[in-house]
Amino acid sequence: MPSIDTITLADCAALIFAPDGRHYDHMAALAGTLGFGHVLEHTKLNALPEKALPFFLIHNGVVDHLKQRLLRGLRSTDEPLRKYAPIICVIPQGPRHQMVPQVEMGFDDVVFLSDPIEQVSKTLTDQLGHEVLYIDSPQYFGPDRRRLERVSRGDPRRVPGGTEHRRIQVLRDPQNGIQVSYLN
């Protein structure tokens, strides 16, 4: 596996979901600036090069019920490259509290276009070469939502409920694809 310092977005594809052509053009330009090797409209998923690791970039302007349907559709597939691909919500500008509902919805991360390009790039490349914890329960499948909470470990909101769940460790590597390990 390559060093984390050498991982780039060049072997990845940005699949863009935007509410209209103008927003798509802005997001495609951003994806090109970030160095994605391929930039495609979401409807071109089948044109994805075989070895390219997909990133799904979804504009915050897409209505919530469509974002939720998209998340459920991608996460319910049997194909690991889609099921465990980074799904990122792109928000044009603050306030920062817009991030919380997107994380609760199941996005892997949120980027703000008002942030410096270096910060956006780091947020996206942090999805690669690191183990990411996913939770599979009857009500939710996706990245561990507690990862961004700023509450203490003893806070009742952090205590697992009575629901059965499975923890899954996901490692995304542009060179070797996606590796999945079941922890329980």
Side-chain angles (χ1 to χ4, degrees), residues 3-39:
S3 157
I4 290 173
D5 297 332
T6 63
I7 291 178
T8 67
L9 298 173
D11 293 321
C12 301
L15 289 134
I16 299 173
F17 293 74
D20 56 42
R22 182 175 62 88
H23 287 101
Y24 171 83
D25 291 342
H26 289 294
M27 288 178 61
L30 171 68
T33 300
L34 290 167
F36 277 96
H38 309 278
V39 179

Coordinates of all heavy atoms in Angstrom, one line a residue, residues 3-39:
S3 N 2.3 5.0 0.8 CA 2.3 5.9 1.9 C 1.1 6.8 1.9 O 0.8 7.3 0.8 CB 3.6 6.6 2.0 OG 3.5 7.8 2.7
I4 N 0.6 7.2 3.1 CA -0.5 8.1 3.1 C -0.1 9.4 2.5 O -0.9 10.1 1.9 CB -1.0 8.3 4.6 CG1 -1.6 7.0 5.0 CG2 -1.9 9.4 4.7 CD1 -2.0 6.9 6.5
D5 N 1.2 9.8 2.6 CA 1.6 11.1 2.1 C 1.6 11.1 0.6 O 1.6 12.2 0.0 CB 3.0 11.4 2.6 CG 3.1 11.6 4.1 OD1 2.1 12.0 4.7 OD2 4.2 11.3 4.7
T6 N 1.6 9.9 -0.1 CA 1.7 9.9 -1.6 C 0.3 9.6 -2.2 O 0.2 9.6 -3.4 CB 2.6 8.8 -2.0 OG1 2.2 7.5 -1.6 CG2 4.0 9.1 -1.5
I7 N -0.7 9.4 -1.4 CA -2.1 9.2 -1.9 C -2.6 10.5 -2.5 O -2.6 11.5 -1.8 CB -3.0 8.6 -0.9 CG1 -2.5 7.1 -0.5 CG2 -4.4 8.6 -1.3 CD1 -3.3 6.5 0.6
T8 N -3.1 10.4 -3.7 CA -3.7 11.6 -4.3 C -5.1 11.2 -4.9 O -5.5 10.0 -4.9 CB -2.9 12.1 -5.4 OG1 -2.9 11.2 -6.5 CG2 -1.5 12.4 -5.0
L9 N -5.8 12.2 -5.4 CA -7.1 11.9 -6.0 C -7.0 11.6 -7.5 O -8.0 11.3 -8.1 CB -8.0 13.2 -5.8 CG -8.3 13.5 -4.4 CD1 -9.0 14.9 -4.3 CD2 -9.1 12.5 -3.7
A10 N -5.8 11.5 -8.0 CA -5.6 11.3 -9.5 C -6.1 9.9 -9.9 O -6.6 9.8 -11.1 CB -4.1 11.4 -9.8
D11 N -6.1 8.9 -9.0 CA -6.7 7.6 -9.4 C -8.1 7.4 -8.9 O -8.6 6.3 -8.9 CB -5.8 6.5 -8.7 CG -4.4 6.4 -9.3 OD1 -4.3 6.6 -10.5 OD2 -3.5 6.2 -8.5
C12 N -8.8 8.6 -8.7 CA -10.2 8.6 -8.2 C -11.0 9.3 -9.3 O -10.5 10.1 -10.1 CB -10.3 9.2 -6.9 SG -9.3 8.5 -5.6
A13 N -12.3 9.0 -9.2 CA -13.3 9.6 -10.1 C -14.3 10.4 -9.2 O -14.8 9.9 -8.2 CB -14.0 8.6 -10.9
A14 N -14.6 11.6 -9.6 CA -15.6 12.4 -9.0 C -16.9 12.2 -9.8 O -17.0 12.6 -11.0 CB -15.2 13.9 -9.0
L15 N -17.9 11.7 -9.1 CA -19.2 11.5 -9.7 C -20.1 12.6 -9.1 O -20.3 12.6 -7.9 CB -19.8 10.1 -9.5 CG -19.0 9.1 -10.3 CD1 -18.7 7.9 -9.5 CD2 -19.8 8.8 -11.5
I16 N -20.6 13.5 -9.9 CA -21.2 14.7 -9.4 C -22.7 14.7 -9.5 O -23.3 14.4 -10.6 CB -20.7 16.0 -10.1 CG1 -19.2 16.0 -9.9 CG2 -21.4 17.2 -9.7 CD1 -18.4 17.1 -10.7
F17 N -23.4 15.0 -8.4 CA -24.8 15.2 -8.3 C -25.1 16.7 -8.0 O -24.7 17.2 -7.0 CB -25.5 14.4 -7.2 CG -25.4 12.9 -7.4 CD1 -24.2 12.2 -7.3 CD2 -26.5 12.2 -7.8 CE1 -24.1 10.9 -7.4 CE2 -26.4 10.8 -7.9 CZ -25.2 10.1 -7.8
A18 N -25.7 17.4 -8.9 CA -26.0 18.8 -8.7 C -27.4 19.1 -9.0 O -28.0 18.4 -9.9 CB -25.0 19.6 -9.5
P19 N -28.0 20.2 -8.4 CA -29.4 20.5 -8.7 C -29.6 21.1 -10.1 O -30.7 21.0 -10.6 CB -29.7 21.6 -7.7 CG -28.5 22.1 -7.2 CD -27.4 21.1 -7.4
D20 N -28.6 21.6 -10.8 CA -28.7 22.1 -12.2 C -27.3 22.2 -12.8 O -26.3 21.9 -12.2 CB -29.4 23.5 -12.1 CG -28.6 24.5 -11.3 OD1 -27.4 24.5 -11.3 OD2 -29.3 25.2 -10.5
G21 N -27.4 22.5 -14.1 CA -26.1 22.6 -14.9 C -25.1 23.6 -14.4 O -23.9 23.3 -14.5
R22 N -25.5 24.7 -13.9 CA -24.6 25.7 -13.4 C -23.8 25.2 -12.2 O -22.6 25.3 -12.2 CB -25.4 27.0 -13.1 CG -24.5 28.1 -12.6 CD -25.3 29.4 -12.4 NE -26.3 29.2 -11.3 CZ -26.0 29.4 -10.0 NH1 -24.9 29.8 -9.6 NH2 -27.0 29.3 -9.1
H23 N -24.5 24.6 -11.3 CA -23.9 24.0 -10.1 C -23.0 22.8 -10.5 O -21.9 22.6 -9.9 CB -24.9 23.6 -9.0 CG -25.5 24.8 -8.4 ND1 -26.8 25.2 -8.7 CD2 -25.0 25.6 -7.4 CE1 -27.0 26.3 -7.9 NE2 -26.0 26.5 -7.1
Y24 N -23.5 22.0 -11.5 CA -22.6 20.9 -12.0 C -21.3 21.5 -12.5 O -20.2 20.9 -12.2 CB -23.3 20.1 -13.0 CG -22.4 19.1 -13.7 CD1 -22.2 17.9 -13.1 CD2 -21.7 19.4 -14.8 CE1 -21.3 17.0 -13.6 CE2 -20.8 18.5 -15.4 CZ -20.6 17.3 -14.8 OH -19.7 16.4 -15.3
D25 N -21.4 22.5 -13.3 CA -20.2 23.1 -13.9 C -19.2 23.6 -12.9 O -18.0 23.3 -13.0 CB -20.5 24.2 -14.9 CG -21.2 23.7 -16.1 OD1 -21.2 22.5 -16.5 OD2 -21.9 24.6 -16.8
H26 N -19.7 24.2 -11.8 CA -18.9 24.7 -10.7 C -18.2 23.5 -10.0 O -17.0 23.6 -9.7 CB -19.7 25.5 -9.7 CG -20.1 26.9 -10.2 ND1 -19.2 27.9 -10.5 CD2 -21.3 27.4 -10.5 CE1 -19.8 28.9 -11.0 NE2 -21.1 28.7 -11.0
M27 N -19.0 22.5 -9.7 CA -18.4 21.3 -9.0 C -17.4 20.5 -9.9 O -16.4 20.0 -9.4 CB -19.6 20.4 -8.5 CG -20.3 21.1 -7.4 SD -21.7 20.1 -6.7 CE -20.9 18.6 -6.2
A28 N -17.7 20.5 -11.2 CA -16.8 19.8 -12.1 C -15.4 20.6 -12.1 O -14.4 19.9 -12.1 CB -17.4 19.7 -13.5
A29 N -15.5 21.9 -12.2 CA -14.3 22.7 -12.2 C -13.5 22.5 -10.9 O -12.3 22.3 -10.9 CB -14.6 24.2 -12.4
L30 N -14.2 22.4 -9.7 CA -13.6 22.2 -8.5 C -12.9 20.8 -8.5 O -11.8 20.7 -8.0 CB -14.6 22.2 -7.3 CG -14.1 21.8 -6.0 CD1 -13.1 22.7 -5.4 CD2 -15.3 21.6 -5.0
A31 N -13.6 19.8 -9.0 CA -13.1 18.4 -9.0 C -11.8 18.4 -9.8 O -10.8 17.7 -9.5 CB -14.1 17.4 -9.5
G32 N -11.8 19.1 -11.0 CA -10.6 19.2 -11.8 C -9.4 19.9 -11.0 O -8.3 19.4 -11.1
T33 N -9.8 21.0 -10.3 CA -8.7 21.7 -9.6 C -8.2 20.8 -8.5 O -7.0 20.9 -8.2 CB -9.4 23.0 -9.0 OG1 -9.8 23.8 -10.0 CG2 -8.4 23.7 -8.1
L34 N -9.0 20.0 -7.9 CA -8.6 19.1 -6.8 C -7.7 17.9 -7.3 O -7.1 17.3 -6.5 CB -9.8 18.6 -6.0 CG -10.5 19.6 -5.2 CD1 -11.9 19.0 -4.7 CD2 -9.7 20.0 -4.0
G35 N -7.7 17.7 -8.6 CA -6.9 16.7 -9.2 C -7.5 15.3 -9.4 O -6.8 14.3 -9.6
F36 N -8.8 15.3 -9.4 CA -9.5 14.0 -9.7 C -9.1 13.5 -11.1 O -9.1 14.4 -12.0 CB -11.0 14.1 -9.6 CG -11.6 14.0 -8.2 CD1 -11.8 15.1 -7.4 CD2 -11.8 12.8 -7.6 CE1 -12.3 15.0 -6.2 CE2 -12.3 12.6 -6.3 CZ -12.6 13.8 -5.6
G37 N -8.8 12.3 -11.2 CA -8.4 11.7 -12.5 C -9.5 11.7 -13.5 O -9.3 11.8 -14.7
H38 N -10.7 11.6 -13.0 CA -11.9 11.5 -13.9 C -13.0 12.3 -13.2 O -13.2 12.3 -12.0 CB -12.4 10.1 -14.1 CG -11.3 9.2 -14.5 ND1 -10.9 9.0 -15.8 CD2 -10.5 8.4 -13.8 CE1 -9.9 8.2 -15.9 NE2 -9.7 7.7 -14.7
V39 N -13.8 13.1 -14.0 CA -14.9 13.8 -13.5 C -16.1 13.5 -14.4 O -16.1 13.7 -15.6 CB -14.6 15.4 -13.6 CG1 -15.9 16.1 -13.1 CG2 -13.4 15.7 -12.8

